[in-house]
Amino acid sequence: MPGSDPVGAPVKTHCPYCALQCGMEIGPGLAIQPRTDIPANASGALCQKGWTAGELLTNGERLTTPLLHGEPVEWDVALDYVAYRLSAIRAEHGPDAVAVFGGGGLTNEKAYHLGKFARVVLGTSQIDYNGRFCMSSAAAASSKAFGMDRGMPFPITDLADADVVLLAGGNVAETMPPFVRHLSGPRMIVIDPRRTQTAKLAWLHLQPTPGTDLALALGLLHLAIADDLVDEAYVAARTTGFDEVRTSLAGWWPERVERITGVPVYRMRQAVRALASAGNAYILTGRGAEQHAKGTDTVSAFINLALALGLPGNYGSGYGCVTGQGNGQGGREHGQKADQLPGYRKIDDPAAREHVAGVWGVRPEDIPGPGRSAYELLDALGTPDGPRAMLLFGSNPVISAPAAEHVAERIGALDLLVTCDFVMSETAVLADVVFPVTQWAEESGTMTNLEGRVLLRRQAVAPPEGVRSDLEVLAGLAERLGHTLATEPAEVFDELRRASAGGLADYSGITYERIAAEAGVFWPCPEPGHPGTPRPFLDSFATPDGLARFVPVQHRPPAEEIDDDYPVYLTTGRVLAHYQSGAQTRRIAALVKAAPEPFVELHPDLAEQLGITAGDVVRVTSRRGEAKAVARISDAIRRDTVFMPFHWEGANRLTNPALDPTSKMPEFKVCAVRVERDS
Amino acid sequence: MRLVVVGNGMAGSRLVSEVRARDPHMRITVLGAETCQPYNRVLLSNVLAGSSRPDQVRLLDASWYDAHNVNAAFGSPVAHVDRETRHVVTEDGRREPYDLLVLATGSQAIVPPLPGVERAIPFRTLDDCERIMQAANQARRAVVVGGGLLGIEAARGLAGRGLPVTLLHLAGHLMERQLDVEAGEVLGETLAGLGVEIRTGVSADSVQADGVRLAGGELVEADLVVLACGVRPVTGLAAEAGLEVRRGVVVDDELRTDDPSIFAIGECAEHDGTVYGLVAPAWEQAAVAADVITGGKALYRGSRLVTRLKARSVELAAMGETQLTEEHAEVVRFSHRARGTYRKLVIRDGRLVGAILLGESDAVGTLTQLFDRGGPVPGDRAGLLFPGLASAPVADSPVLMPDAAKVCQCNNVTKGQIRACWEAGARDVAGVAAATRATTGCGTCRDAVEGIVGWLCEQEGISV
């Protein structure tokens, strides 16, 4: 059985999964122990995914040979073939005929090199990544309000001392269980259409109609203003734009919001009072609030609430986005996003282009402009104006993209699909060429966790024979296309530091040695002697005048409302035992045992009305496709809504690719479906 | 295309912003009779209660009009519509040509023809509100005439300012159009507890310097009298222009009057025999009219009415046909007057056609949405009235918990596994954690694991 060789002494590294990036030690052998020096899980916590992560390293389905049209081939054969095809497609159709699609789980080094490879080696503007499906709405809203997007602009350990934490659309008890340990002190207010494991821990649970979080946030701020709970001194000293927001809220009185959201007015009032009377409070948002065609505005509304209550930039209070993917934060900073260059720079900013061009040794005008966003890119594949070839890294869009059947069709229309993966994911199956690559503990690199803390994920085991790292694949292709790229992570990181210097996400003072010695370093860290910045907004915000911006926003209905044909809302999310598209976790026995199959959660009243009993196979249909799964009956969900986890094929065949106009986030979290017993 | 909107209240201002959102170029002129920017009338009770300042209820900033290229005239009442030449003429003589005209003239307070009524202040506009507040500062006792929605909000607001208030109401119970007798009584009891004296079934005879004289001769003392006796659609302009007017200006499903170039929306309009007096229908009409005006195909089919009282410490929602009895519908009712709680569902043909919810209730959102959507009512009626009631109690006692029950979610550990682990020698949480990893994730199951281990030890007589 192919597998990696364990090394002897324990090696300090991090979990392969979520953005919490729990510290763990591997070894001797493949034994895993939690570290106690990483604040995210310093109490020695790990969830089942973390404890069983070692099985990824011995998995029998591991890829170890490059595949060309399904047949094992030598590395050189596969690399030569891909380079030849890329050159030919580029020559015939131009550089934008080749697309690159990355992932939020890739290390900073890979994310950086992917961006550089696309722009310098391929000369294409067509690069984006699955993080677009993750934190992009929160990122856009944070940038508007604060001039900078650092998921949580404070250490996670600060949360424990808060009096109240409001979590809008996040289920951390399942998605990142050790996070909950930081919430044992504060009163929790949870906003979620389901009474999730997290909502069960809450002091107050608000259960809105899917797609109405924005209205709810407006209603909460309306109440804060009407009940005279606004921190006027803070608003005057540290923000701008409040008057316009106040006027824009006159139409969102709580009784109207109640009718839209289904959240009782007195519950809204309880929430606002608790937040306003707290000495220290945080407002956090997760994908539930963000994955909508109005996700950016929803986050803006929650940030407006936080600003009105005087939270951001005050020690012990604030707003934060609970980033999801392992390197969701770092992955959005270093250039694999269609509109960005390293250091969280904008690709259409001449100064940014000049700086990065200098590091890359190219002319600024040679760097392509902004390309298509993730879904727009997938939707364009194989169309007359769209890319003909795609290189895919760390992503499984056939499972994870909205309207997944359509996306599979688009991928099928490509002339060339190349994937880098370590197992045969559902997307890899469709590829012309699959490169078997190293994973997680078989390679080193940095990850930036949900706090903005740059961490070092060290190699703990030797990779199985035959696999190469993503960096080596990129270098191999670059070489064949006439360019040179480094393959050593430390070397790539040094270049990333220079490329990020002077940008918002400035890593130039961070080194592997410092990360190891300091258990992580917070960006921005502009010089070697700089201590890093755990709380960047204490003195001022990253806007030109240092003031935070109120952004007036208005609620609007979901892109697709329920009607007679599709009378039930569908919302999607995660279960504890699985991660993202499940390509990793669905191959681990203990996790499969814990959560073996997809399911549809529905309320007993809805089940009764539809003649469905627990365990029945039900068919869920939307305008985009259908999926079958086993019924679970639970009164933890609203009567008008069903829930499906998205780790298996199915849920995303149903979801709606309507995009947020700013972030280009698809509307994963609400669409209209019909639910029937499968006869 | 030149659009002229007469009226800049909640309906008119909404229409203007809806049209602008759909068409950035149409020439829009809005003529408002009131001198101020449009404000949210719904929030006037907050202003009266002192919880909002008048400047906090603006719907649009003055700068909005310039920024959105809308020509607005405040304090510019319209005197005449010239349909021949398609002009409106303002009282100060300005002639404004239109291709399409929207009448959003709203309604005005009904002032009953009582002797001395000029001493009383109607409660309708922001100006009224400011007059009442000024008077309230000097007043020692207030009377509110009219126990409908607005009168109750006014009375509650004045009482909240510390002013003793008597509410006079002609009908036998409060809000008789929305509430059944018992709900009206429970509401009265709640208000009485908040300092509002309720007098129902009484008729005012005259307003005097020292109070209101009732029909029977009794004087209810007050030095501030507020009128909330209902409203009447403002239709004079339309009638004078020869448009069809019944109670309101008659409109079709496109909100057009019998002149296809003239629309009417809001409280001045009558659709399918109904004149609506709430903001939600006015805004629904504004959205439909805006769509039609900008070339869309939307149709207005009437609105479902949900009345939500906005008065501090009084939670009341009433919707639909609340007065139906068991003869005509299925009625589910719960009453607990000592707590000010009254809940009623009216169900016909399996659909919710009416409901009253008085007192704090988590059911209000679900019921409102069920009523709005007209969806089927679930079989478990009690679960609708008392959300959470149906939830199965969690068997958290180690004795009652089945072996298959999951104790640690994060590591998928059942009670049975903990028992097996105990049987294999683990005698404390650390031992169980080492063997099963229970408690090592989020940590919230620690007490449960401790409880199970303790109970197992107890069973075996092992002291820990």
Side-chain angles (χ1 to χ4, degrees), chain A residues 410-455:
Chain A
R410 294 321 325 150
I411 288 175
L414 284 168
D415 296 342
L416 177 70
L417 174 67
V418 179
T419 68
C420 285
D421 220 323
F422 53 92
V423 290
M424 205 63 175
S425 75
E426 288 79 358
T427 311
V429 169
L430 307 176
D432 297 283
V433 177
V434 182
F435 289 118
V437 289
T438 50
Q439 58 167 320
W440 166 56
E442 298 162 357
E443 56 187 14
S444 291
T446 58
M447 305 284 281
T448 306
N449 79 350
L450 77 177
E451 307 161 279
R453 194 193 301 259
V454 184
L455 300 165

Coordinates of all heavy atoms in Angstrom, one line a residue, chain A residues 410-455:
Chain A
R410 N -19.6 22.3 -18.1 CA -18.6 23.3 -18.6 C -17.2 22.7 -18.6 O -16.4 22.8 -19.5 CB -18.6 24.6 -17.7 CG -19.8 25.5 -17.8 CD -20.6 25.6 -19.1 NE -19.7 25.7 -20.3 CZ -20.1 25.2 -21.5 NH1 -21.3 24.8 -21.7 NH2 -19.2 25.3 -22.5
I411 N -16.9 22.0 -17.5 CA -15.5 21.4 -17.4 C -15.4 20.3 -18.5 O -14.3 20.2 -19.1 CB -15.4 20.8 -15.9 CG1 -15.2 21.9 -14.9 CG2 -14.2 19.8 -15.9 CD1 -15.1 21.4 -13.5
G412 N -16.5 19.6 -18.7 CA -16.4 18.6 -19.8 C -16.2 19.2 -21.2 O -15.7 18.5 -22.1
A413 N -16.5 20.5 -21.3 CA -16.3 21.1 -22.6 C -14.9 21.7 -22.8 O -14.6 22.2 -23.9 CB -17.3 22.3 -22.7
L414 N -14.1 21.5 -21.8 CA -12.7 22.0 -22.0 C -11.9 21.1 -23.0 O -12.2 19.9 -23.1 CB -12.0 21.9 -20.6 CG -12.3 23.0 -19.6 CD1 -11.7 22.6 -18.2 CD2 -11.7 24.4 -20.1
D415 N -10.9 21.7 -23.6 CA -10.0 20.9 -24.4 C -9.0 20.2 -23.5 O -8.5 19.1 -23.9 CB -9.2 21.8 -25.4 CG -10.1 22.5 -26.4 OD1 -11.3 21.9 -26.5 OD2 -9.8 23.5 -27.0
L416 N -8.7 20.8 -22.3 CA -7.7 20.2 -21.5 C -8.0 20.6 -20.0 O -8.1 21.8 -19.7 CB -6.3 20.8 -21.8 CG -5.1 20.3 -20.9 CD1 -4.8 18.9 -21.2 CD2 -3.9 21.2 -21.2
L417 N -8.1 19.6 -19.2 CA -8.2 19.8 -17.7 C -7.0 19.1 -17.1 O -6.8 17.9 -17.3 CB -9.5 19.2 -17.2 CG -9.7 19.3 -15.6 CD1 -9.8 20.7 -15.2 CD2 -10.9 18.5 -15.1
V418 N -6.3 19.8 -16.2 CA -5.2 19.3 -15.5 C -5.5 19.5 -14.0 O -5.8 20.6 -13.6 CB -3.9 20.0 -15.9 CG1 -2.7 19.4 -15.1 CG2 -3.6 19.9 -17.4
T419 N -5.4 18.4 -13.2 CA -5.6 18.6 -11.8 C -4.4 18.1 -11.0 O -3.6 17.2 -11.4 CB -6.8 17.9 -11.3 OG1 -6.5 16.5 -11.3 CG2 -8.1 18.2 -12.0
C420 N -4.1 18.8 -9.9 CA -3.1 18.3 -8.9 C -3.9 17.9 -7.7 O -4.7 18.6 -7.1 CB -2.2 19.5 -8.5 SG -1.0 19.9 -9.8
D421 N -3.8 16.6 -7.4 CA -4.5 16.1 -6.2 C -3.8 14.9 -5.6 O -2.9 14.4 -6.2 CB -5.9 15.7 -6.7 CG -7.0 16.1 -5.6 OD1 -6.7 16.0 -4.4 OD2 -8.1 16.5 -6.1
F422 N -4.2 14.5 -4.4 CA -3.5 13.4 -3.8 C -4.5 12.2 -3.7 O -4.1 11.1 -3.4 CB -2.8 13.6 -2.5 CG -3.7 14.3 -1.5 CD1 -4.4 13.5 -0.6 CD2 -3.8 15.7 -1.4 CE1 -5.2 14.1 0.4 CE2 -4.6 16.3 -0.4 CZ -5.3 15.5 0.5
V423 N -5.8 12.4 -4.0 CA -6.7 11.3 -4.2 C -7.5 11.6 -5.5 O -7.5 12.8 -6.0 CB -7.7 11.2 -3.0 CG1 -7.0 10.7 -1.8 CG2 -8.4 12.5 -2.7
M424 N -8.3 10.6 -5.9 CA -9.0 10.8 -7.2 C -10.3 11.5 -6.8 O -11.4 10.8 -6.6 CB -9.2 9.4 -7.8 CG -9.5 9.5 -9.3 SD -8.0 10.1 -10.1 CE -8.5 9.9 -11.8
S425 N -10.3 12.8 -6.7 CA -11.5 13.5 -6.4 C -12.5 13.4 -7.6 O -12.1 13.0 -8.7 CB -11.2 15.0 -6.1 OG -10.9 15.6 -7.4
E426 N -13.8 13.8 -7.3 CA -14.8 13.7 -8.4 C -14.4 14.6 -9.6 O -14.8 14.3 -10.7 CB -16.1 14.2 -7.8 CG -16.8 13.2 -6.9 CD -16.2 13.2 -5.5 OE1 -15.3 14.0 -5.2 OE2 -16.7 12.4 -4.6
T427 N -13.6 15.7 -9.4 CA -13.2 16.5 -10.5 C -12.0 15.9 -11.2 O -11.8 16.0 -12.4 CB -12.9 18.0 -10.0 OG1 -14.0 18.4 -9.2 CG2 -12.7 18.9 -11.2
A428 N -11.1 15.3 -10.4 CA -9.9 14.7 -10.9 C -10.3 13.6 -11.9 O -9.6 13.4 -12.9 CB -9.0 14.1 -9.8
V429 N -11.4 12.9 -11.7 CA -11.9 11.9 -12.5 C -12.1 12.4 -14.0 O -11.9 11.7 -14.9 CB -13.2 11.3 -12.0 CG1 -13.9 10.4 -13.0 CG2 -13.0 10.5 -10.7
L430 N -12.4 13.7 -14.1 CA -12.7 14.3 -15.4 C -11.5 14.8 -16.1 O -11.6 15.2 -17.2 CB -13.7 15.4 -15.2 CG -15.0 15.2 -14.5 CD1 -15.8 16.4 -14.3 CD2 -15.8 14.1 -15.2
A431 N -10.3 14.7 -15.4 CA -9.1 15.4 -15.9 C -8.4 14.6 -17.0 O -8.4 13.4 -17.0 CB -8.2 15.7 -14.8
D432 N -7.8 15.3 -17.9 CA -7.0 14.7 -18.9 C -5.7 14.3 -18.3 O -5.1 13.2 -18.6 CB -6.7 15.7 -20.1 CG -7.9 16.1 -20.8 OD1 -8.4 15.3 -21.6 OD2 -8.5 17.2 -20.5
V433 N -5.2 15.1 -17.4 CA -3.9 14.8 -16.7 C -4.1 15.1 -15.2 O -4.7 16.1 -14.8 CB -2.8 15.7 -17.2 CG1 -1.5 15.4 -16.4 CG2 -2.6 15.5 -18.7
V434 N -3.7 14.1 -14.4 CA -3.7 14.2 -13.0 C -2.3 14.1 -12.5 O -1.6 13.1 -12.7 CB -4.6 13.1 -12.3 CG1 -4.7 13.3 -10.8 CG2 -6.0 13.1 -12.9
F435 N -1.9 15.1 -11.7 CA -0.5 15.1 -11.1 C -0.7 14.7 -9.7 O -1.5 15.3 -8.9 CB 0.2 16.4 -11.2 CG 0.6 16.8 -12.6 CD1 0.1 17.9 -13.2 CD2 1.6 16.0 -13.3 CE1 0.5 18.3 -14.4 CE2 2.0 16.4 -14.5 CZ 1.5 17.5 -15.1
P436 N -0.1 13.6 -9.2 CA -0.2 13.2 -7.8 C 0.7 14.1 -6.9 O 1.9 14.1 -7.2 CB 0.3 11.7 -7.8 CG 1.3 11.7 -8.9 CD 0.8 12.7 -10.0
V437 N 0.2 14.7 -6.0 CA 1.0 15.7 -5.2 C 1.0 15.4 -3.8 O 0.2 14.6 -3.2 CB 0.5 17.2 -5.4 CG1 0.7 17.6 -6.9 CG2 -1.0 17.3 -5.1
T438 N 2.0 16.0 -3.1 CA 2.2 15.9 -1.7 C 1.0 16.6 -1.0 O 0.3 17.4 -1.5 CB 3.5 16.5 -1.2 OG1 3.5 17.9 -1.7 CG2 4.7 15.7 -1.6
Q439 N 0.8 16.2 0.3 CA -0.3 16.8 1.0 C 0.3 17.3 2.4 O 1.4 16.8 2.8 CB -1.4 15.8 1.3 CG -0.9 14.5 2.0 CD -2.0 13.7 2.6 OE1 -2.9 14.2 3.1 NE2 -1.8 12.4 2.5
W440 N -0.3 18.3 2.9 CA -0.2 18.6 4.3 C 1.1 18.2 5.0 O 2.1 18.9 4.8 CB -1.4 18.0 5.0 CG -1.5 17.9 6.4 CD1 -1.4 18.9 7.3 CD2 -1.7 16.7 7.2 NE1 -1.5 18.4 8.6 CE2 -1.7 17.1 8.6 CE3 -1.9 15.4 6.9 CZ2 -1.9 16.2 9.6 CZ3 -2.1 14.5 7.9 CH2 -2.1 14.9 9.2
A441 N 1.2 17.1 5.7 CA 2.3 16.8 6.6 C 3.5 16.3 5.8 O 4.5 16.0 6.4 CB 1.9 15.8 7.6
E442 N 3.4 16.2 4.5 CA 4.5 15.7 3.7 C 5.3 16.9 3.1 O 6.2 16.7 2.3 CB 4.0 14.9 2.5 CG 3.2 13.6 3.0 CD 2.4 13.0 1.9 OE1 2.3 13.6 0.8 OE2 1.7 12.0 2.2
E443 N 4.9 18.1 3.4 CA 5.6 19.3 2.9 C 5.5 20.4 3.9 O 4.7 20.3 4.8 CB 4.8 19.7 1.6 CG 3.4 19.9 1.8 CD 2.5 20.2 0.6 OE1 3.0 19.9 -0.5 OE2 1.4 20.7 0.8
S444 N 6.3 21.4 3.7 CA 6.2 22.5 4.6 C 5.6 23.7 3.9 O 5.6 23.8 2.7 CB 7.7 22.9 5.1 OG 8.2 21.9 5.9
G445 N 5.2 24.7 4.7 CA 4.6 25.9 4.2 C 3.9 26.7 5.3 O 3.7 26.2 6.4
T446 N 3.6 27.9 4.9 CA 2.9 28.7 5.9 C 1.4 28.8 5.7 O 1.0 28.7 4.5 CB 3.4 30.1 6.0 OG1 3.3 30.7 4.7 CG2 4.9 30.1 6.4
M447 N 0.6 28.9 6.7 CA -0.8 29.0 6.7 C -1.1 30.2 7.5 O -0.5 30.5 8.5 CB -1.5 27.8 7.3 CG -1.1 26.5 6.7 SD -1.8 26.2 5.0 CE -3.5 25.7 5.5
T448 N -2.1 31.0 7.1 CA -2.5 32.2 7.9 C -3.9 31.9 8.4 O -4.8 31.7 7.6 CB -2.5 33.5 7.0 OG1 -1.2 33.6 6.5 CG2 -2.8 34.7 7.9
N449 N -4.0 31.7 9.7 CA -5.3 31.2 10.3 C -6.3 32.4 10.4 O -6.1 33.5 9.9 CB -5.1 30.5 11.6 CG -4.9 31.5 12.7 OD1 -4.8 32.7 12.5 ND2 -4.9 31.0 13.9
L450 N -7.5 32.0 10.9 CA -8.6 32.9 10.9 C -8.3 34.2 11.7 O -9.0 35.2 11.6 CB -9.9 32.2 11.5 CG -10.0 32.0 13.0 CD1 -11.4 31.4 13.2 CD2 -8.9 31.2 13.6
E451 N -7.3 34.2 12.5 CA -6.9 35.4 13.3 C -6.0 36.3 12.5 O -5.6 37.4 13.0 CB -6.2 35.1 14.6 CG -6.8 34.1 15.5 CD -5.8 33.5 16.4 OE1 -5.1 32.5 16.0 OE2 -5.7 33.9 17.6
G452 N -5.5 35.8 11.4 CA -4.4 36.6 10.7 C -3.1 36.3 11.2 O -2.1 37.0 11.1
R453 N -3.0 35.1 11.9 CA -1.7 34.7 12.5 C -1.0 33.7 11.5 O -1.6 32.8 11.1 CB -2.0 33.9 13.8 CG -0.8 33.7 14.7 CD -1.1 32.7 15.8 NE -2.2 33.0 16.7 CZ -2.1 33.6 17.9 NH1 -0.9 33.8 18.4 NH2 -3.1 33.8 18.7
V454 N 0.2 34.1 11.1 CA 0.9 33.3 10.1 C 1.5 32.1 10.9 O 2.3 32.4 11.8 CB 1.9 34.1 9.3 CG1 2.6 33.3 8.3 CG2 1.2 35.3 8.7
L455 N 1.2 30.9 10.4 CA 1.7 29.7 11.1 C 2.6 28.9 10.2 O 2.5 29.0 9.0 CB 0.5 28.9 11.6 CG -0.5 29.5 12.5 CD1 -1.8 28.7 12.6 CD2 0.1 29.7 13.9

